[in-house]
Amino acid sequence: MSSLLTRIGRYGLIGLLLLGGVATADAHRHHPAATVPADPQDLKFDVFVKDFRTTAIAAGITPANYDRAMTGIHRNKKVEALAQSQPEFVKPIWSYLDTADSPARVAAGQKAMSAQYTILTALEARTGVPKEILVSIWGNETAYGAGLGTFNIFEALATLAYDGARTDFGRSELLCALKMMQQENLEPAQMNSSWAGAFGQMQMLPSTFLKIAVDGDGDGRRDLWHSAPDSLASAAAEVVNDGWQRGESWGYEVKLPAGFAYEQADGDTMKPIGAWSELGVRKMDGTALTPDPNLAAIYLPAGARGPALLIFPNFKVILKYNNAMSYALAVCYLGDLIAGRTPILASWPRDEQPLSSDERIAFQNALLKLGYDPGKIDGVLGRGVKAALRGYQKSHGLPADGFPTEGLLAQMLTEVKSKGL
């Protein structure tokens, strides 16, 4: 817009000179060029940036450092869109793993582990976190440092902070990012991040950096953008802080017996290994489960038609790094593949199609009408929906795996219609 107004102004001056000036000058005085009103949200953002300066200074940020970081930033509409959006289709777990744990990523992970073998061996000895788990987190977060994010961290967090559903998160992390910049003497323009403010090779949040980050290469700095040793050491510190148990597995694939009560395989119901053995759960080769003092749960990432996994507390630790079952499985499974362990053997139900957002809403509404409370009708098929679905499946003599499919949706909609609900 500014360049357009500049062109208009230039042409107006030429006309004034050509026509002698008087009439054109009068016309410009009485009919000024129209201006575009400022976006109220842009104004609100600018007010926030100005007012937050007081908060930051009270928290110990110098005025000069605040101005270095915050001058010139703007409300980022792409950040707003990403914060508000939900995908039209949820990628099936097998498609997610096809990418996250692809042969190319496995090979790259083995190469990365070889390149950082010395620091990884030292970290494993000191923290108990296996080399392959750290490398897998690295690969899943940024493809081993190749994709660090393209957003200005201060602009991204300020956009989340000034308005919307994430203001508390945005303001807290923005203040932490300012503290991080000041403590580490970082250049603001070079502090790129994801749209949500996660940064560096392990996509750590500023608040986590302040609590956890480690100087892994001994140069006196904690540089998670450029230093792989710093990044790996910091990730190890975070995983240990979240409760990683030294010497324990994350889990392994198992075989369930015919007639298994699938409602127990919700990923949360923890039982002793002996209890699962008594229910007929076996290793994939048919032998007994390995004795383990930990409680374990059965996780069915693709329902009764897909693989069954016995998961231990270390699996839940990876969930704390990113609270998505698909992410935790991708990290643990990629780690196994990098280490040369046996891949998942059971087939995935690749014929199943993901439900669209409209279908997910219809799924929740159908459950509600049939007397199975799914909670908030929001198109998110979380634990509450899956619990309600298990109730429906069990009452209809179906495997109660809580896995939503197009076939189940069609069955429920037919039942709703037949009952006039």
Side-chain angles (χ1 to χ4, degrees):
M1 182 57 69
S2 60
S3 60
L4 176 61
L5 294 176
T6 301
R7 290 199 300 274
I8 292 172
R10 185 179 302 126
Y11 297 150
L13 177 60
I14 293 171
L16 178 64
L17 293 173
L18 291 174
L19 297 175
V22 176
T24 306
D26 285 343
H28 277 258
R29 278 197 299 270
H30 296 297
H31 301 283
T35 58
V36 177
D39 188 321
Q41 290 300 105
D42 288 336
L43 295 176
K44 187 173 184 178
F45 178 88
D46 292 342
V47 169
F48 167 78
V49 170
K50 179 183 177 183
D51 290 347
F52 197 72
R53 189 174 190 268
T54 302
T55 300
I57 291 171
I61 305 301
T62 68
N65 276 332
Y66 186 86
D67 295 340
R68 282 177 60 219
M70 304 293 282
T71 298
I73 67 170
H74 303 282
R75 168 184 166 231
N76 192 308
K77 294 182 180 180
K78 188 173 182 180
V79 170
E80 290 181 328
L82 288 167
Q84 296 171 3
S85 67
Q86 289 187 13
E88 176 66 16
F89 296 95
V90 176
K91 182 181 286 190
I93 181 64
W94 49 91
S95 297
Y96 181 81
L97 294 178
D98 286 345
T99 301
D101 299 349
S102 67
R105 184 163 286 180
V106 172
Q110 291 170 337
K111 183 177 179 181
M113 187 160 68
S114 178
Q116 301 296 330
Y117 191 80
T118 300
I119 181 67
L120 286 165
T121 300
L123 287 171
E124 183 170 353
R126 186 168 72 248
T127 68
V129 183
K131 292 185 285 292
E132 64 269 19
I133 288 293
L134 294 175
V135 173
S136 182
I137 293 172
W138 193 14
N140 275 281
E141 290 293 346
T142 63
Y144 313 107
L148 303 184
T150 58
F151 292 88
N152 176 300
I153 192 171
F154 299 104
E155 183 169 281
L157 289 172
T159 299
L160 296 175
Y162 92 100
D163 193 23
R166 297 172 180 252
T167 55
D168 289 343
F169 167 85
R171 292 176 188 192
S172 175
E173 292 299 333
L174 177 57
L175 188 58
C176 288
L178 290 164
K179 291 179 179 179
M180 181 175 71
M181 178 204 74
Q182 183 165 285
Q183 288 181 14
E184 303 296 315
N185 194 27
L186 301 173
E187 179 56 45
Q190 297 178 4
M191 296 172 64
N192 51 309
S193 74
S194 72
W195 67 266
F199 70 93
Q201 297 189 35
M202 296 299 190
Q203 291 295 280
M204 189 171 281
L205 288 171
S207 58
T208 305
F209 176 93
L210 294 177
K211 297 174 186 175
I212 296 295
V214 177
D215 173 16
D217 55 20
D219 67 354
R221 303 185 64 207
R222 299 178 293 172
D223 183 356
L224 305 195
W225 283 275
H226 305 101
S227 171
D230 287 1
S231 300
L232 292 165
S234 297
E238 181 172 358
V239 171
V240 168
N241 185 70
D242 287 338
W244 185 270
Q245 297 183 15
R246 180 188 291 268
E248 299 294 339
S249 169
W250 68 266
Y252 53 88
E253 188 179 10
V254 294
K255 184 180 295 184
L256 304 181
F260 181 78
Y262 283 96
E263 62 269 21
Q264 299 185 70
D266 59 4
D268 291 319
T269 299
M270 306 291 285
K271 296 177 181 290
I273 295 296
W276 290 119
S277 294
E278 289 175 4
L279 291 172
V281 179
R282 296 289 182 267
K283 290 184 178 180
M284 291 300 287
D285 62 4
T287 60
L289 302 179
T290 302
D292 193 295
N294 283 305
L295 298 177
I298 302 292
Y299 169 43
L300 305 174
R305 294 181 59 209
L309 304 170
L310 188 73
I311 57 174
F312 297 99
N314 278 345
F315 185 90
K316 303 294 182 75
V317 171
I318 301 301
L319 271 177
K320 295 178 183 178
Y321 204 97
N322 183 322
N323 191 27
M325 294 291 280
S326 56
Y327 173 86
L329 178 55
V331 166
C332 294
Y333 186 41
L334 178 59
D336 278 359
L337 296 176
I338 288 172
R341 300 190 186 101
T342 304
I344 290 174
L345 298 176
S347 299
W348 297 96
R350 292 181 180 271
D351 56 315
E352 293 286 1
Q353 297 299 312
L355 301 179
S356 70
S357 59
D358 287 343
E359 288 173 324
R360 296 196 298 270
I361 293 289
F363 204 97
Q364 290 174 309
N365 278 319
L367 282 170
L368 184 62
K369 290 176 181 179
L370 293 171
Y372 304 90
D373 185 7
K376 182 180 179 182
I377 306 297
D378 56 4
V380 178
L381 304 186
R383 291 181 178 178
V385 174
K386 292 180 180 180
L389 175 56
R390 286 190 185 93
Y392 173 85
Q393 290 171 314
K394 191 171 182 179
S395 68
H396 287 68
L398 302 170
D401 59 6
F403 188 68
T405 65
E406 288 184 327
L408 279 170
L409 175 60
Q411 177 177 326
M412 289 192 297
L413 291 176
T414 298
E415 187 175 344
V416 166
K417 185 176 180 180
S418 69
K419 293 181 176 180
L421 300 174

